[in-house]
Amino acid sequence: MKPVLDAVVKLVNTIQSRGLNHRQFRDFLHSVQSEYSDVLFYTKVRWLSAGCVFERVWLLKDDIVSFFHEKQYSAECEMLEDTEWLSDFAFFTDLLCHMNNLNVKMQGKNQFIDDIWAHLKAFKLKLNLFAGQLAKNDLSHFSRLNSIPSNLQSSGIIFCGDFNSLPHSPTYNFLMSGKYECSANWNRSSDASGDTVLEHSLSLDSACGTPEYTNYTAEFTGCLDYIFYSKDILEVSDVVPMPRHEQVTAQQALPSEYFPSDHIALICTLQWKKS
């Protein structure tokens, strides 16, 4: 934990210890209408303050990155853009917040020693539960860590562009179904005998479906462009409608005065599915 704590404390000190930086950072948070107006100092004497410091930096991490990029101090916050470091930071933030919750339960009036002892025993059982869940990659009680895509399988795939392939073509069918059987003579230079089966396990879908056309010229009209995505991990939340046919054909074909390319852009919003 110490390397993560040292990095967070250094980041906070970089913001807080320089008067101009600090004022500009507070002004920046105000300008982006952040819920919080500042980061918090860490105090060694009150070691539980680390949880509050971590949580505040976590909540402001995107704003901190934007602020340092704007000031061209990208090196100061590069760890906040490192998924591996961010995973460690998220884990310790979750853990420290659990410890802070325990600390709050043990405070206040009318607390007897048996009440405090009960809280401690319950937290010990909770730690055993956490250990068992983490061993099974169950992050139910580590929401911040769970929000970070840690690998290709969990973050999903977005595969898009001009595939130069119509719907129901071999390329399209292969990407959508995950399987395509090639005849023995599909590659004349191949020495392989018998059919060849191409397979993948990406579980893809087309975010914008198959429009009537994405390429419209005087010689050809058809759908050649797609945004494929991992349908088990991602979901489509919004799709920008295609332009009306009258707009596309206003100057006979594409490109035109209004469309600089002979391809029409596909635009959508994808988000991770809630676990």
Side-chain angles (χ1 to χ4, degrees), residues 117-248:
W117 180 241
H119 291 317
L120 287 172
K121 287 198 299 183
F123 189 72
K124 184 178 179 181
L125 292 174
K126 187 180 289 187
L127 289 177
N128 290 331
L129 171 66
F130 292 166
Q133 289 179 328
L134 290 172
K136 299 176 183 177
N137 202 29
D138 180 355
L139 305 178
S140 303
H141 291 91
F142 291 80
S143 58
R144 297 167 186 83
L145 180 58
N146 196 31
S147 69
I148 299 176
S150 58
N151 52 49
L152 185 62
Q153 183 178 3
S154 63
S155 59
I157 289 175
I158 300 174
F159 187 34
C160 56
D162 173 10
F163 290 83
N164 203 30
S165 301
L166 292 167
H168 310 303
S169 66
T171 300
Y172 180 88
N173 287 334
F174 170 62
L175 290 170
M176 291 289 284
S177 68
K179 184 176 182 180
Y180 182 70
E181 296 184 9
C182 308
S183 61
N185 61 354
W186 73 285
N187 185 350
R188 296 183 183 277
S189 63
S190 174
D191 296 329
S193 59
D195 293 345
T196 300
V197 178
L198 302 178
E199 293 182 300
H200 71 76
S201 57
L202 300 178
S203 187
L204 300 175
D205 199 1
S206 177
C208 300
T210 54
E212 182 181 353
Y213 53 79
T214 60
N215 180 236
Y216 196 98
T217 67
E219 294 80 22
F220 175 84
T221 300
C223 179
L224 302 177
D225 304 82
Y226 309 93
I227 300 176
F228 295 107
Y229 69 100
S230 302
K231 61 183 179 182
D232 295 337
I233 300 170
L234 304 170
E235 61 184 1
V236 181
S237 62
D238 189 30
V239 176
V240 174
M242 297 287 285
R244 298 193 308 275
H245 183 69
E246 305 82 63
Q247 294 175 307
V248 175

Side-chain angles (χ1 to χ4, degrees), residues 74-95:
S74 301
E76 302 286 356
C77 64
E78 58 185 7
M79 69 278 194
L80 291 177
E81 299 176 288
D82 180 345
T83 302
E84 185 175 349
W85 186 91
L86 208 55
S87 297
D88 291 338
F89 176 46
F91 171 75
F92 288 122
T93 302
D94 284 324
L95 187 59

Side-chain angles (χ1 to χ4, degrees), residues 8 23 31 45 47 68 104 140 168 170 182 192 236 242 256 271:
V8 172
R23 288 194 300 274
S31 69
V45 177
W47 67 271
F68 278 115
V104 171
S140 303
H168 310 303
C182 308
V236 181
M242 297 287 285
S256 67
Q271 62 185 20

Side-chain angles (χ1 to χ4, degrees), residues 216 247-262:
Y216 196 98
Q247 294 175 307
V248 175
T249 58
Q251 295 181 337
Q252 188 176 358
L254 303 182
S256 67
E257 179 181 353
Y258 305 104
F259 297 92
S261 171
D262 60 340

